[in-house]
Amino acid sequence: MKALDFRFVAVVCFLFLTVVSFAQQLGVNEEKYHIHIKRATSKITIDGHLDEDAWKDLEQATGFWQFFPYDSSRAKLQTQAMVAFDDNFIYVAAICKQKRSTYVVSSLKRDFGRGTSDIFGVNFDPFKDKLNGFSFAVSPLGVQREGLISNGNELNIDWDNKWYSAVSNDDDYFYVEIAIPFKTLRYRRREQNNEWHVNFFRNSLRQNESSSWTPIPRNFSPSALAFAGKLIWDEPPPQPGANVSIIPYSLVQSTRDLLNNESTKNSINFGGDAKVAVTPSLNLDITVNPDFAQVEVDQQQTNLSRFELFFPERRQFFLENNDLFGSFGTPSINPFFSRRIGLFRNPQTTLYQKTPILGGVRLSGRLDKNWRIGILDMQTARTQFNDTIALPSTNYSMLAVQRRVFTRSSISAVMVNKDPIGIKKGDVSSAYNRVAGLEYRLASKNNQLQGKVFYHRSFTPDQLKGKYAWGASLAYDRPSFNGELNLSDIGDHHQVDVGFLPRQSLLRTSGQGNFVFYTKNGFLNRYINRFSIGPDWDFLYGKIQGRLVDWDAGVYGSITLQNQSQIDLMFWRYDYTFLYSAFDPTNTGGKVLPVNTSYLYRTSRVTFTSNLRHPLFYKATARAGQYFNGNIFQIQSTWSYRWQPYGIFSLDFNYSRIRLPQPYNNSDLLLIGPKFDFSFSRKLFLTTYIQYNNQINNINSNIRLQWRYRPVSDLYIVYTNNYFAYNNTEDNRYINALQLKNRALVIKWTYWLNL
């Protein structure tokens, strides 16, 4: 790396540290909002009826504030929230004003999406760092949703854990009781002066109101921990004591792979996980022979780029404290991406296939108020996909250490290692790969200023130079203006086998700025809540090519209506591409555009997100204009119908019409994905998802029946198959549409046992 690069990073670090001293003074006055938590004076039964003596005479959190549509007035639908505890649980109760006839709920299925249902919720930040916390919410019909909050406001609802709740209803109110085991939480206990951060929040779609106990500016979400109040313990929370959970599973499956001419295979499998609380804030996860057959199938994407697409992690084992493992670098310069473990994208079929994980351990959590640690080690088995593709048995390990500085900022170090074992001729992976890095993350006390500086270095057996990546970013968010600036440099031979790095040898600068205007009294205020406008840009300089290889720039505008519908517009959007390798813009195997040619093209884009209060709601994006040496028209949309409270019928419809001059390919790329989520009750769910994708000549269907017979214990029946989407000739054989590629039937049983 050149000395100039190091000097630049040093300057950026200095600027970050300079603004920190100012940013930390802009905090929220926590003393205004505090609530005492007392030991329950009687037994509390979780039935939704607040008739126990324990709820009487408790301090209440009242006077909720709106943060949508406005953040300067009290909520119209007020809430009274209370907290208590005993030796095993922390209890939360709420009296929520809302007419029964106005409820909007997505379904009876747990872990419903954000913004799709009326809810009452609570956020806990046991370490008062305003960065990491736990979120628990219930709908007026008693459906649960839990999640982990990281980086101050990022909520991940894929996390799953044990807790209890009940809701009762009358015509004008619904009443909530929640019991969260102390063993579910991570916290620190002192003999005196125990304080957490807490906030309570509501969402009422038909009344068009979002509210919280402590005021949250309307440019933030309810998961923004920077604006939480204090939870003061009149006596210390209990020591959770021995906290060990065993989660065994058994699995029966039948599979058939016609692509590789394999006959039907029937098998029985066993494995399981264990969770051991080393301390109340440090958790050890152990997995033996895990299988993630029950995980929802990926939502496919039409790929018009030259690079790999990103798919999110959904497997439970990798989710807790995932911000400590997976948030290093940027989304496109990430040294650790857990989907590299146990999943492999077959280059012949373009589909992801499982590689067996023999076992693994993960230690993650807090050592004290300021130090966090994450250690992971996983071992996969050798996998022979066919005669030409095999993966050796591989060890994956990672170490992450984080130290909090100032109020909400942190310094982190990371080391990632991939080490193949027992390599054989023809194996896809044949050498070790290691990455080490340092990062400084900035987060101001009031969440308005965020950013990071990082430097990563990779290590491989070869002696090539340029195995590094560094970057810097700074984001500013106020009600009247938000913007960000990103800079990064990727070396010529930087390699992250366990990370996500679509491109090498690249200098990049990107950013955006939005000026936000809120309507006041008058005609516009009847329909429009706010609108914004500002520039958006992304410039990529290829260091090997010695020139700009890609850039796009335009003016972006957005209008948010009072009913929460939104219109997004991209004006004067220009894209530029220099092809340093041949490329077919349709990604369908047609004639390629030649190397060392460049293209400047202009498009216009518009997105409309409809009002979620109606049973039928949708989001649709249209794009039209030039595309390389031709033209493109594209529609991407998701349509949903809510059959309250039983389920949601949705349809993903993506169509790309590409027209290029002769002799290049024209293409009509179609991706259709009808999905049916049905809830028979709060314990029995059926999900059916079918995806037709003619770009990869595939039809996938996935049917999943889930019975949650007790908290965090399930029986799954999953049936999935893949077919060819259209007639084709491949490898000197004729393929018919709807010809089967592979299929699988899986029955999986899991049980959560507390020791």
Side-chain angles (χ1 to χ4, degrees):
M1 189 176 181
K2 297 180 180 178
L4 176 62
D5 295 336
F6 280 115
R7 288 197 297 269
F8 181 81
V9 173
V11 169
V12 174
C13 289
F14 175 78
L15 291 175
F16 271 28
L17 293 172
T18 300
V19 299
V20 164
S21 60
F22 168 73
Q24 304 304 326
Q25 306 303 317
L26 302 175
V28 179
N29 186 359
E30 301 169 9
E31 302 304 326
K32 281 187 176 181
Y33 297 92
H34 57 266
I35 185 170
H36 289 258
I37 179 170
K38 300 178 182 294
R39 179 176 288 274
T41 57
S42 65
K43 177 178 174 58
I44 295 177
T45 302
I46 303 302
D47 57 8
H49 298 287
L50 310 183
D51 50 8
E52 293 90 354
D53 290 338
W55 294 122
K56 297 177 181 178
D57 301 322
L58 285 180
E59 190 174 345
Q60 295 186 348
T62 59
F64 277 46
W65 291 88
Q66 285 187 356
F67 62 86
F68 187 90
Y70 307 105
D71 58 7
S72 58
S73 59
R74 297 287 184 179
K76 296 178 181 178
L77 298 179
Q78 277 296 324
T79 307
Q80 300 164 256
M82 296 164 282
V83 285
F85 75 98
D86 61 20
D87 290 337
N88 298 307
F89 298 94
I90 183 170
Y91 297 97
V92 181
I95 303 172
C96 305
K97 183 178 181 180
Q98 185 173 353
K99 290 186 178 297
R100 192 202 303 256
S101 59
T102 66
Y103 294 168
V104 175
V105 295
S106 57
S107 72
L108 297 175
K109 186 178 181 180
R110 62 181 293 111
D111 294 335
F112 45 86
R114 295 179 65 179
T116 62
S117 182
D118 295 346
I119 57 172
F120 165 81
V122 58
N123 296 331
F124 289 115
D125 174 10
F127 284 88
K128 294 181 64 180
D129 64 0
K130 298 193 174 184
L131 289 171
N132 301 278
F134 303 87
S135 182
F136 302 90
V138 292
S139 77
L141 298 186
V143 183
Q144 293 183 337
R145 188 195 76 190
E146 70 268 67
L148 294 175
I149 301 174
S150 60
N151 298 323
N153 61 2
E154 298 173 8
L155 176 64
N156 185 341
I157 62 173
D158 289 326
W159 178 64
D160 210 3
N161 218 309
K162 181 178 288 189
W163 59 292
Y164 308 90
S165 66
V167 175
S168 65
N169 312 81
D170 63 28
D171 289 341
D172 297 308
Y173 292 88
F174 68 91
Y175 306 87
V176 177
E177 278 187 310
I178 294 172
I180 304 166
F182 282 106
K183 294 181 179 182
T184 294
L185 302 172
R186 307 285 176 259
Y187 62 93
R188 178 179 51 129
R189 181 186 185 273
R190 294 176 175 176
E191 290 305 319
Q192 55 186 349
N193 299 326
N194 287 275
E195 292 182 354
W196 296 5
H197 281 149
V198 67
N199 205 357
F200 310 96
F201 57 92
R202 291 275 309 277
N203 188 35
S204 307
L205 287 170
R206 192 157 293 169
Q207 288 76 14
N208 199 36
E209 181 178 80
S210 298
S211 62
S212 60
W213 173 48
T214 63
I216 298 176
R218 53 180 165 178
N219 52 313
F220 294 113
S221 70
S223 55
L225 295 177
F227 306 99
K230 279 186 179 180
L231 180 68
I232 302 172
W233 293 80
D234 286 0
E235 63 177 272
Q239 289 282 9
N243 185 358
V244 178
S245 299
I246 306 295
I247 310 139
Y249 83 84
S250 61
L251 180 146
V252 179
Q253 64 179 344
S254 176
T255 62
R256 187 181 183 189
D257 185 354
L258 275 71
L259 284 178
N260 294 310
N261 297 316
E262 295 181 358
S263 58
T264 300
K265 296 180 179 179
N266 300 315
S267 62
I268 300 176
N269 207 359
F270 301 92
D273 297 341
K275 288 181 173 290
V276 181
V278 180
T279 71
S281 58
L282 189 64
N283 198 66
L284 175 66
D285 291 281
I286 304 170
T287 187
V288 177
N289 193 29
D291 188 281
F292 306 101
Q294 82 282 4
V295 175
E296 287 193 28
V297 66
D298 286 323
Q299 181 177 343
Q300 296 181 24
Q301 305 172 48
T302 299
N303 188 3
L304 296 182
S305 76
R306 292 164 283 162
F307 311 104
E308 180 186 7
L309 296 176
F310 179 85
F311 293 91
E313 177 63 86
R314 298 178 182 273
R315 297 171 293 178
Q316 279 293 318
F317 181 81
F318 296 101
L319 292 179
E320 186 169 351
N321 289 314
N322 187 50
D323 69 294
L324 188 58
F325 292 95
S327 64
F328 285 91
T330 71
S332 59
I333 310 175
N334 192 335
F336 181 78
F337 180 39
S338 57
R339 278 183 63 106
R340 301 295 187 209
I341 304 173
L343 288 173
F344 171 70
R345 187 173 185 268
N346 192 319
Q348 294 180 340
T349 65
T350 72
L351 300 174
Y352 282 94
Q353 296 180 242
K354 292 188 297 182
T355 57
I357 299 176
L358 299 176
V361 295
R362 189 183 66 163
L363 179 70
S364 63
R366 289 188 176 275
L367 301 177
D368 58 28
K369 179 179 179 181
N370 294 318
W371 286 96
R372 298 175 72 206
I373 189 171
I375 302 173
L376 180 142
D377 189 84
M378 307 286 289
Q379 183 72 42
T380 62
R382 177 177 176 81
T383 309
Q384 188 77 43
F385 291 105
N386 53 43
D387 294 337
T388 59
I389 298 178
L391 291 178
S393 177
T394 304
N395 180 261
Y396 300 87
S397 57
M398 180 183 180
L399 168 65
V401 179
Q402 184 184 91
R403 163 73 185 188
R404 188 175 71 153
V405 295
F406 304 107
T407 302
R408 300 178 64 233
S409 302
S410 62
I411 297 174
S412 304
V414 60
M415 294 189 66
V416 183
N417 178 61
K418 174 190 174 185
D419 211 346
I421 300 171
I423 301 168
K424 297 182 180 180
K425 184 177 180 180
D427 285 355
V428 175
S429 177
S430 59
Y432 71 81
N433 176 248
R434 296 167 187 141
V435 181
L438 286 172
E439 296 197 4
Y440 169 69
R441 179 186 291 272
L442 166 69
S444 68
K445 191 172 182 179
N446 63 354
N447 224 43
Q448 292 178 359
L449 196 61
Q450 298 190 60
K452 70 162 53 179
V453 176
F454 65 88
Y455 178 77
H456 301 160
R457 180 86 180 185
S458 61
F459 303 88
T460 53
D462 57 65
Q463 301 301 314
L464 299 174
K465 296 181 179 180
K467 299 178 183 179
Y468 68 87
W470 66 261
S473 63
L474 186 64
Y476 182 68
D477 194 347
R478 290 289 301 272
S480 59
F481 176 80
N482 62 80
E484 63 176 298
L485 177 64
N486 307 289
L487 304 168
S488 62
D489 178 2
I490 306 173
D492 295 349
H493 299 100
H494 188 51
Q495 183 177 334
V496 289
D497 289 357
V498 197
F500 188 77
L501 185 76
R503 307 177 72 166
Q504 298 171 311
S505 187
L506 203 65
L507 288 169
R508 184 173 188 175
T509 177
S510 63
Q512 57 88 20
N514 284 306
F515 296 90
V516 185
F517 304 91
Y518 293 89
T519 60
K520 298 181 180 179
N521 296 330
F523 174 78
L524 284 179
N525 185 250
R526 294 174 56 188
Y527 304 100
I528 297 176
N529 180 269
R530 62 182 180 267
F531 59 92
S532 63
I533 191 168
D536 181 280
W537 68 90
D538 191 0
F539 290 88
L540 293 83
Y541 180 87
K543 294 191 289 184
I544 292 178
Q545 295 78 24
R547 59 173 296 162
L548 283 172
V549 292
D550 285 282
W551 64 262
D552 62 74
V555 177
Y556 171 85
S558 178
I559 301 172
T560 301
L561 305 181
Q562 293 289 16
N563 63 9
Q564 300 192 49
S565 300
Q566 185 166 312
I567 304 169
D568 298 306
L569 301 165
M570 178 64 78
F571 309 105
W572 308 301
R573 162 77 179 238
Y574 283 90
D575 289 83
Y576 172 84
T577 303
F578 172 78
L579 293 178
Y580 49 85
S581 60
F583 177 60
D584 167 25
T586 67
N587 260 349
T588 57
K591 181 177 175 60
V592 296
L593 297 174
V595 177
N596 296 328
T597 55
S598 60
Y599 304 88
L600 178 66
Y601 42 101
R602 184 181 67 189
T603 56
S604 297
R605 309 181 189 203
V606 59
T607 298
F608 181 75
T609 304
S610 74
N611 182 354
L612 293 177
R613 294 180 295 175
H614 297 309
L616 178 65
F617 55 96
Y618 59 92
K619 181 177 181 178
T621 298
R623 170 189 176 188
Q626 301 165 325
Y627 182 68
F628 286 89
N629 60 339
N631 294 285
I632 189 172
F633 175 73
Q634 193 173 40
I635 295 177
Q636 299 177 339
S637 62
T638 298
W639 298 76
S640 302
Y641 180 78
R642 180 175 55 245
W643 181 23
Q644 183 170 317
Y646 301 106
I648 291 181
F649 304 87
S650 61
L651 175 67
D652 294 322
F653 177 83
N654 298 328
Y655 170 66
S656 300
R657 181 182 186 273
I658 300 174
R659 293 295 180 263
L660 305 177
Q662 291 293 335
Y664 303 103
N665 262 11
N666 291 328
S667 66
D668 293 274
L669 303 179
L670 189 60
L671 175 56
I672 301 177
K675 186 176 183 179
F676 171 56
D677 265 315
F678 186 79
S679 305
F680 297 97
S681 67
R682 288 201 295 262
K683 293 185 177 181
L684 187 62
F685 319 110
L686 176 67
T687 300
T688 301
Y689 196 14
I690 300 172
Q691 297 183 88
Y692 171 93
N693 188 343
N694 70 353
Q695 187 180 40
I696 60 173
N697 193 13
N698 192 70
I699 298 175
N700 169 261
S701 66
N702 181 270
I703 302 172
R704 187 180 71 156
L705 181 68
Q706 177 187 359
W707 175 33
R708 174 148 289 190
Y709 57 90
R710 57 172 295 164
V712 210
S713 301
D714 301 277
L715 176 68
Y716 296 94
I717 301 176
V718 183
Y719 176 74
T720 185
N721 54 39
N722 290 282
Y723 298 91
F724 288 96
Y726 55 82
N727 297 337
N728 191 22
T729 301
E730 185 178 281
D731 298 332
N732 297 318
R733 59 185 179 132
Y734 186 76
I735 297 171
N736 292 310
L738 300 182
Q739 183 174 323
L740 181 67
K741 295 181 179 181
N742 50 62
R743 65 162 51 114
L745 174 64
V746 176
I747 301 175
K748 182 177 182 180
W749 169 86
T750 68
Y751 183 81
W752 186 297
L753 175 64
N754 288 329
L755 300 182

